[in-house]
Amino acid sequence: MAVEGNCDMYFHYYPADTQTCEFQLKSFSFYSNDLELDWLLHGVYLQDPSEPNFDIQVSSIEKIKTIQPYNNPRNQTHDTLVFTILARRRLSFHLVQTYLPSIFFIIITWLCFLIPSKFIEARIGISMTTLLTLTAMFASVRESTPIVSYVKAIDLWMVFCIFFVFLTLLEFSILIWMRAIREDAEKDNTIEDKNGEDIATRRKNLSESLSQHSTSSSTLRAHGVFTEIVEKYAFVIFSIIFVVFNIIYWTWLLQAAKYFDWDVNATHTSIGEDD
């Protein structure tokens, strides 16, 4: 006899989720006085728990009394046999297909900081390519993951990686903006000697130009200091942010999902001694 059961699954911690499936066996036609159900010696035994995507085990079995809520005026009970199956998803697939590739793409974004600032357009080109690649990869990942209305753990990872590349593009855009301001200021500070002007006019223009030059020079220095700080510390700051995020993300995911709380019940699950 083959029996198909239904299991409600929750994917908040996907792909480190562990699904708990509880199954009940009972008769709807006969009460405990008419039909007594009980487990044999081992009850449920999972002979071959091997599965490419999950670690599976039978965690517990029990016998309980249940009351049918309808068409039961005397509140008579039914013998009910209950067993629970745990299925822990294996992380290896998404580690290789999603997490490691996205980390490599983030590292490529870091390498853009090593390109001289005068090649800022090359930096933006590499970052844009990385952003588009991550977007396409994550779209493919979403097609292969369960479709639910709430946020999964892998969704948080994907959003942060895209946001991280966006911050890198934002930093490069600020550098281009600062460079444009500096070039405009340097152009305004150019003092041209106009032939044909009398001495008084030339002295007056020279005095005004020197006054403007003093103000613009302070602005140029401020822009130069800001650009230097951004160039010097952006790589370190972005690296620290990503490393801290990884520590927080994996600590939260593995602890909240209780991924390593996996003790196989050898009474009901084969653990390979007979192989």
Side-chain angles (χ1 to χ4, degrees), residues 10 14 16 18 26 46 51 53 73 77 88-89 92 100 103 118 133 145 164-165 170 175 211 236 243 267:
Y10 301 94
Y14 183 94
T18 299
K26 64 181 178 180
L46 189 60
E51 213 281 336
N53 297 320
T77 61
R88 182 181 65 174
R89 193 181 309 274
S92 55
L100 287 180
I103 290 175
K118 62 181 179 180
T133 305
T145 58
F164 189 87
V165 178
L170 180 62
L175 288 181
S211 177
V236 176
V243 171
T267 304

Side-chain angles (χ1 to χ4, degrees), residues 10 19 27 41 53-54 61-62 66 68 74 77 93 99 108-109 111 138 142 164 166 168 185-186 209 217 224 256 258:
Y10 301 94
Q19 303 298 335
S27 171
L41 178 62
N53 297 320
F54 291 91
I61 65 170
E62 60 179 336
T66 58
Q68 188 169 309
R74 298 182 180 180
T77 61
F93 174 79
Y99 288 102
I108 292 175
T109 305
L111 296 179
F138 290 153
R142 287 188 61 84
F164 189 87
F166 168 77
T168 305
E186 290 175 349
S209 298
S217 296
K258 299 180 180 179

Side-chain angles (χ1 to χ4, degrees), residues 1-5:
M1 180 178 65
V3 178
E4 293 185 0

Side-chain angles (χ1 to χ4, degrees), residues 37-270:
L37 299 177
D38 206 344
W39 292 109
L40 295 177
L41 178 62
H42 290 291
V44 178
Y45 187 77
L46 189 60
Q47 181 64 39
D48 185 14
S50 61
E51 213 281 336
N53 297 320
F54 291 91
D55 296 320
I56 302 176
Q57 66 161 310
V58 178
S59 62
S60 64
I61 65 170
E62 60 179 336
K63 175 183 177 180
I64 61 175
K65 300 286 187 178
T66 58
I67 299 177
Q68 188 169 309
Y70 52 89
N71 196 22
N72 187 11
R74 298 182 180 180
N75 289 331
Q76 293 180 296
T77 61
H78 298 263
D79 280 355
T80 305
L81 304 181
V82 182
F83 65 97
T84 303
I85 295 179
L86 298 181
R88 182 181 65 174
R89 193 181 309 274
R90 294 181 178 177
L91 279 171
S92 55
F93 174 79
H94 280 290
L95 281 177
V96 175
Q97 298 292 329
T98 305
Y99 288 102
L100 287 180
S102 58
I103 290 175
F104 290 149
F105 285 127
I106 296 299
I107 293 176
I108 292 175
T109 305
W110 290 350
L111 296 179
C112 293
F113 291 105
L114 303 179
I115 300 176
S117 58
K118 62 181 179 180
F119 301 115
I120 193 69
E121 291 79 6
R123 291 183 176 184
I124 293 182
I126 295 174
S127 299
M128 282 298 299
T129 303
T130 303
L131 180 62
L132 295 175
T133 305
L134 281 175
T135 304
M137 184 182 73
F138 290 153
S140 176
V141 170
R142 287 188 61 84
E143 292 180 356
S144 62
T145 58
I147 300 176
V148 291
S149 60
Y150 47 82
V151 177
K152 303 183 292 293
I154 197 170
D155 296 332
L156 296 177
W157 175 270
M158 294 189 297
V159 170
F160 182 84
C161 288
I162 293 176
F163 180 68
F164 189 87
V165 178
F166 168 77
L167 287 180
T168 305
L169 284 170
L170 180 62
E171 188 265 346
F172 294 158
S173 300
I174 292 175
L175 288 181
I176 291 180
W177 176 64
M178 296 297 295
R179 187 175 69 178
I181 292 178
R182 185 174 65 252
E183 291 176 352
D184 292 341
E186 290 175 349
K187 185 183 300 182
D188 293 339
N189 286 338
T190 302
I191 302 176
E192 298 180 354
D193 187 9
K194 298 181 180 180
N195 296 326
E197 291 181 336
D198 56 22
I199 296 177
T201 304
R202 293 175 61 182
R203 286 179 178 176
K204 181 180 179 180
N205 292 338
L206 180 60
S207 176
E208 293 176 354
S209 298
L210 290 175
S211 177
Q212 294 177 359
H213 178 73
S214 177
T215 303
S216 300
S217 296
S218 61
T219 304
L220 284 174
R221 284 194 298 270
H223 289 170
V225 171
F226 177 79
T227 303
E228 183 180 353
I229 292 175
V230 171
E231 283 292 300
K232 185 176 181 180
Y233 296 106
F235 176 80
V236 176
I237 293 174
F238 278 50
S239 302
I240 292 175
I241 292 175
F242 189 71
V243 171
V244 170
F245 169 75
N246 269 270
I247 294 174
I248 295 175
Y249 177 85
W250 288 107
T251 301
W252 162 77
L253 178 61
L254 297 179
Q255 289 186 355
K258 299 180 180 179
Y259 191 78
F260 295 111
D261 295 345
W262 185 259
D263 297 324
V264 178
N265 189 338
T267 304
H268 306 294
T269 307
S270 172

